[in-house]
Amino acid sequence: MSEPLPLRSEPFDLDDVIVGTSPLGGIGKSLGDENAIEIVARCVEVGFREFDTAPLYGLGSAEVRLGEGLRRGAARATTSDERAKRLLRDEIRVWTKVGRVMKARDALVEGDEVEEANVPGAPGMIYSDCPDVVPVLDYTAKGVMASWDDSMGRLGDDIVLAGLRCHDPETPELEKAALKGSLPGLGNLRANINGPWSDHPAPMMVGLGLNDAGVAARILDETNPPSGTPPPHALDALMLAGRWHLLEQSGAAVLATCAARGIQVHVAGIYASGLLAGGSTYEYRPATAAHLAKRDAWASLCATHGVSLKAAAVAFAFLPAAVDRVAVGIGEAAFVDETVSLVAAAAAVPAALWTAAVAEGLLAPDVLALGAVAAPPAKRRKVDGEGGDDDS
């Protein structure tokens, strides 16, 4: 990246936060249906309106729990069944993902590629609350339709999709398959859902959801080239997990690319798999001594400026002008209200914290344009079905 990222000039609030639902699949330990549903219901009650999920999370259980929690929360937040239905239809939006189709073992057919690393009981499988299914990798256009249909069955047909993301095409084979199959398939599905004959309540977007910034950059060069006419499957949004937070900023270049090309950026993994939120893991593995030392240095600096480490993590995620949304995973009921407070506290984090972080070597001096006025955002790519000339 040749230029530092300009800073955000607009304030942020709960409307800019996406509730991440990976924890609803029971990461590391069972969460249980009722606890998970209550977490989501409370999110709706306090004002969260955008949610991100995936078939992988609990191998479908997170989607089921999310749908039930949204319906319960809408009922509590309103005074009649009709108003609850309107809240679900007009305000609440869900992102889910494609690339994996859940199948029972006895439903597998020749050619199905089971993702053995994410089968229940496999070493490294992080989800505890899983039905008796296995994830099958499917990055074909047909797989897009199957995954979408299955997800809507788990969520419920009263849940409105904000968009679909191609999930984790992070090997050369899957990257190639996504470019040939699932990404064009997503483009076709978007065109149908956003067509004039559709009764979908809002335009649906398509995007990527992954951890590898290099893969994201290569795919965006194909789907959203820097010049010329973009293809029909040009992407509307990128969710980048774990590559923009206090401990790592390797996603800076792809954030700049998205800003230049009018692609929304949704940052996830802002607590570094829990290390910045009181945990001891980094990328779902025990944190190294170097990661722990950097975490502790950030905590000390934050304390000097009267800021909590969690609030600083939220504020940093929102710092670049390129970032449209920040996803925060919520796996405990108590963390719902805490997150509301953290977002408010993050909005008040002093700019002096970031300049001090550069002085102490916690941030590279060329990552952010500290003290500079943010450049106007690029015009966002218009989604089929949207009105107006400038939706940025």
Side-chain angles (χ1 to χ4, degrees), residues 198-252:
S198 173
D199 60 357
H200 198 262
M204 191 191 79
M205 295 189 285
V206 299
L208 277 175
L210 74 178
N211 299 277
D212 193 315
V215 172
R218 288 196 300 272
I219 289 177
L220 291 177
D221 280 344
E222 297 289 334
T223 61
N224 300 67
S227 61
T229 302
H233 56 282
L235 301 181
D236 305 301
L238 167 68
M239 173 169 272
L240 187 65
R243 299 299 170 258
W244 183 262
H245 53 68
L246 293 176
L247 305 182
E248 181 176 338
Q249 298 88 47
S250 62

Side-chain angles (χ1 to χ4, degrees), residues 45-370:
E45 287 183 280
V46 301
F48 290 108
R49 292 294 180 264
E50 199 162 349
F51 299 79
D52 179 85
T53 190
L56 176 63
Y57 303 160
L59 304 188
S61 64
E63 289 183 318
V64 173
R65 292 166 169 180
L66 174 59
E68 290 297 323
L70 293 175
R71 283 182 283 276
R72 183 181 294 184
R76 287 181 182 170
T78 56
T79 56
S80 69
D81 288 346
E82 183 57 36
R83 288 180 177 178
K85 290 177 182 177
R86 286 204 301 268
L87 178 61
L88 288 172
R89 183 187 65 234
D90 297 339
E91 296 185 32
I92 292 174
R93 295 291 180 265
V94 170
W95 287 83
T96 191
K97 303 181 181 76
V98 304
R100 297 175 175 92
V101 176
M102 303 302 129
K103 289 188 175 185
R105 283 278 187 187
D106 59 9
L108 295 174
V109 299
E110 185 177 355
D112 281 347
E113 183 182 351
V114 175
E115 188 181 30
E116 296 292 348
N118 282 316
V119 168
M125 171 56 164
I126 64 173
Y127 296 106
S128 301
D129 294 347
C130 300
D132 189 18
V133 296
V134 295
V136 175
L137 295 171
D138 192 338
Y139 288 82
T140 64
K142 184 178 178 181
V144 166
M145 300 304 293
S147 183
W148 168 61
D149 189 56
D150 289 349
S151 288
M152 292 311 302
R154 289 186 287 261
L155 288 164
D157 58 13
D158 52 350
I159 302 303
V160 179
L161 288 186
L164 287 167
R165 311 185 199 273
C166 179
H167 198 191
D168 295 342
E170 294 180 322
T171 68
E173 295 77 18
L174 295 182
E175 183 180 337
K176 182 178 179 180
L179 285 167
K180 180 180 178 181
S182 57
L183 293 173
L186 284 172
N188 291 335
L189 180 58
R190 174 181 59 196
N192 288 330
I193 287 180
N194 294 345
W197 55 86
S198 173
D199 60 357
H200 198 262
M204 191 191 79
M205 295 189 285
V206 299
L208 277 175
L210 74 178
N211 299 277
D212 193 315
V215 172
R218 288 196 300 272
I219 289 177
L220 291 177
D221 280 344
E222 297 289 334
T223 61
N224 300 67
S227 61
T229 302
H233 56 282
L235 301 181
D236 305 301
L238 167 68
M239 173 169 272
L240 187 65
R243 299 299 170 258
W244 183 262
H245 53 68
L246 293 176
L247 305 182
E248 181 176 338
Q249 298 88 47
S250 62
V254 77
L255 265 61
T257 294
C258 288
R261 300 180 193 176
I263 303 163
Q264 286 195 18
V265 173
H266 303 166
V267 170
I270 68 169
Y271 294 128
S273 305
L275 188 59
L276 297 172
S280 59
T281 60
Y282 185 81
E283 307 225 337
Y284 301 107
R285 294 185 294 272
T288 66
H291 289 133
L292 291 169
K294 192 169 185 179
R295 185 272 313 272
D296 292 346
W298 267 110
S300 177
L301 183 63
C302 287
T304 300
H305 287 79
V307 175
S308 76
L309 184 59
K310 285 185 182 180
V314 174
F316 184 78
F318 275 116
L319 207 52
V323 174
D324 291 272
R325 296 283 191 274
V326 169
V328 179
I330 298 180
E332 297 179 19
F335 195 39
V336 178
D337 291 85
E338 182 187 1
T339 301
V340 175
S341 299
L342 284 171
V343 172
V349 169
L353 175 65
W354 315 122
T355 54
V358 171
E360 295 199 11
L362 293 173
L363 287 177
D366 58 349
V367 171
L368 289 160
L370 297 175

Side-chain angles (χ1 to χ4, degrees), residues 11-39:
F12 57 85
D13 57 24
L14 290 189
D15 289 338
D16 302 303
V17 175
I18 299 175
V19 175
T21 66
S22 177
L24 299 187
I27 295 180
K29 62 180 180 180
S30 177
L31 186 62
D33 288 342
E34 183 61 22
N35 284 338
I37 291 168
E38 275 298 308
I39 288 168

